[in-house]
Amino acid sequence: MIKKFTLLLSCLAIASVAGAQTLTVNATPTAGPTCNNGTNGSATINFSGCSGPYTYTVNGGTPQVTNNASVNLTNLSAGAYTVAATTGGGGGTTTLFSDNFDNTSNWTLNTAIGAQDAEANAWVIDDFESWDGVCNSGNLVTTGDKTLHVYCTGQFCSLFGSGAIYDAGGGILSNTTTDKFASLNTNINTTGQTNIVVKFGWRCMGQTDIDYGTLRYSINGGTSWIDLATKYQNQLNWACASVTLPAACENIPNLRLAFRWRNNDDGVGTDPTFAIDDLVVTGGSGSGGCAGTVSFNLANPAPFVPTTNLTGNVDLCQGDVITLSATNANNCTPVTITGEGTYTLTCQNQAGCSGTSAPVIVTLVNDPVANFSFNQIDNYTVDFTSTGSGATTYEWSISDNVIGTGSNLSYDFASDGNYNVTLIVTNACGSDTITLPVQVIKVGINESAVFSTFDLFPNPASSQVMLQLNAIKPVNGVIKVVTPLGQIVAEEIIKFNGAFNKTFDITNLASGIYSIVITTEGNSFSRKLVVE
């Protein structure tokens, strides 16, 4: 899979002195990060218009020196980048100062900045950290060549060895917080000089952004100092630094340099400390040097999101098994789903980018259960209500003739009679059917003249049912419980006026539909009773 990336590129070339040549710096992106938040982007930086060597920084980091007209930047993440480059003066260079630290009188050591701990580390000049003069070399020589470096001062330092080592603190007896600099005690005269460049060999590990070295300069003979931004750290082997000083350092009689070291007391840090050798300061005359910058952006590709065969909310029937799998990914193990939950897949695409799929929410669904109750409300009208569970569709029928849909139904029968009413319910997992007999008896036309209340509850019932009456006038008659075939299973003479309540024990009645019939003064009034 080809990953797209966006590169926004601008180029700005600046001559360091009027009338000088212009250093043009171009960036040619070669690849953006393959994956979102990846670190394998790259770009090629090209220098033209001025002769090398070229000193360049990336986002103000450690200066690098190259004689090549192009360099490759690798292991880049998405983000904004600025490459700043300089060259030496076009009219030639002059060595203004050099020191290999064999003469210790050139330096004032251990000027403190703020309070120092009792066992603060210290600047020393000795030959225990001698450099072989080769950039990117880890070799030390034993020729007696001295270097400027930081060494520990505590009572146990002799146990640590010699050279650029320090006490990072952290112990009960350690108090090693340090912030000191070693400064040149003679002036460097840059009168008539431009493009002041400081070159030196160095190495330093320390602790990132906590224990590290910096280069500082003074344009007033050491009265005040200015720190350059570059932090010298995380460099085990000797490296070659080339630093172009600001224009304020040009054409003055009293430039001075210093090296600063700082560390805290947290017990974390790695040797070597800041070590310096073979310091050289040069200046250019005539047309001066060249400088240029270029800026570009590397953008992240869109995050990889696996596409899955299941999406959103999914119903899972009892006992079923479904599989969640990806359709656009490699190295992706399908998930077998047997129960409720929220499921995702974490996969890689062909480019090796990882991503997590959108969640799939699985809900366990039972088979539907069919059941219903009914109540004759007047004349031949009967209300039906589904009392089952899990259904999403409903179909009501009489003798295979569909009479309606929906969970509730009101139906007008044509005449008295016994009817078999069927309800079919369905959902995604299946269907269920129930058929119940329904007896329809037209409500007497004179009932309202006799009773203001004629209720039977609960209905359907399985053990007991209560008949609740309220007579408008005296009642002298008979109550009967009648089967659909007309068989009388219970009978009782009644005589009352006003309220009347009667509880029937129906535990011995078979399931089915019965009628509660009241006969008085030649009129019959009834209610159906469903026995479960």
Side-chain angles (χ1 to χ4, degrees), residues 49-270:
C50 293
S51 299
Y54 306 97
T55 301
Y56 67 94
T57 61
V58 180
N59 287 350
T62 302
Q64 305 292 324
V65 180
T66 181
N67 289 312
N68 299 322
S70 66
V71 293
N72 293 319
L73 305 182
T74 58
N75 300 323
L76 302 180
S77 58
Y81 292 89
T82 297
V83 177
T86 60
T87 66
T93 59
T94 300
T95 299
L96 305 177
F97 177 82
S98 65
D99 192 354
N100 61 6
F101 299 99
D102 287 341
N103 182 4
T104 61
S105 63
N106 288 336
W107 295 87
T108 299
L109 306 178
N110 298 306
T111 301
I113 300 176
Q116 313 291 306
D117 277 356
E119 295 183 343
N121 298 289
W123 286 100
V124 296
I125 297 176
D126 61 32
D127 60 358
F128 292 116
E129 190 67 25
S130 300
W131 178 37
D132 65 0
V134 179
C135 295
N136 300 315
S137 168
N139 299 324
L140 299 178
V141 296
T142 58
T143 61
D145 181 39
K146 294 182 179 180
T147 59
L148 171 67
H149 60 86
V150 175
Y151 185 68
C152 68
T153 63
Q155 56 182 319
F156 300 109
C157 290
S158 60
L159 300 178
F160 299 158
S162 58
I165 60 176
Y166 75 112
D167 188 348
I172 298 176
L173 301 177
S174 295
N175 296 284
T176 65
T177 299
T178 307
D179 191 352
K180 299 177 180 179
F181 66 92
S183 60
L184 188 62
N185 55 28
T186 59
N187 292 330
I188 300 174
N189 188 353
T190 67
T191 303
Q193 301 293 321
T194 60
N195 196 48
I196 308 303
V197 177
V198 180
K199 298 181 179 181
F200 55 92
W202 71 279
R203 71 176 188 144
C204 178
M205 287 297 289
Q207 181 184 2
T208 301
D209 294 338
I210 297 177
D211 302 352
Y212 59 90
T214 55
L215 172 64
R216 52 183 10 210
Y217 66 91
S218 171
I219 58 176
N220 53 18
T223 302
S224 60
W225 294 90
I226 299 173
D227 285 296
L228 295 175
T230 300
K231 297 176 181 178
Y232 295 91
Q233 57 189 1
N234 301 324
Q235 179 68 37
L236 178 61
N237 294 333
W238 281 93
C240 294
S242 179
V243 181
T244 299
L245 297 182
C249 298
E250 300 172 353
N251 200 34
I252 61 173
N254 53 353
L255 173 67
R256 292 198 184 189
L257 301 175
F259 294 96
R260 180 179 178 182
W261 167 261
R262 70 196 75 187
N263 65 263
N264 66 4
D265 188 44
D266 62 1
V268 179
T270 304

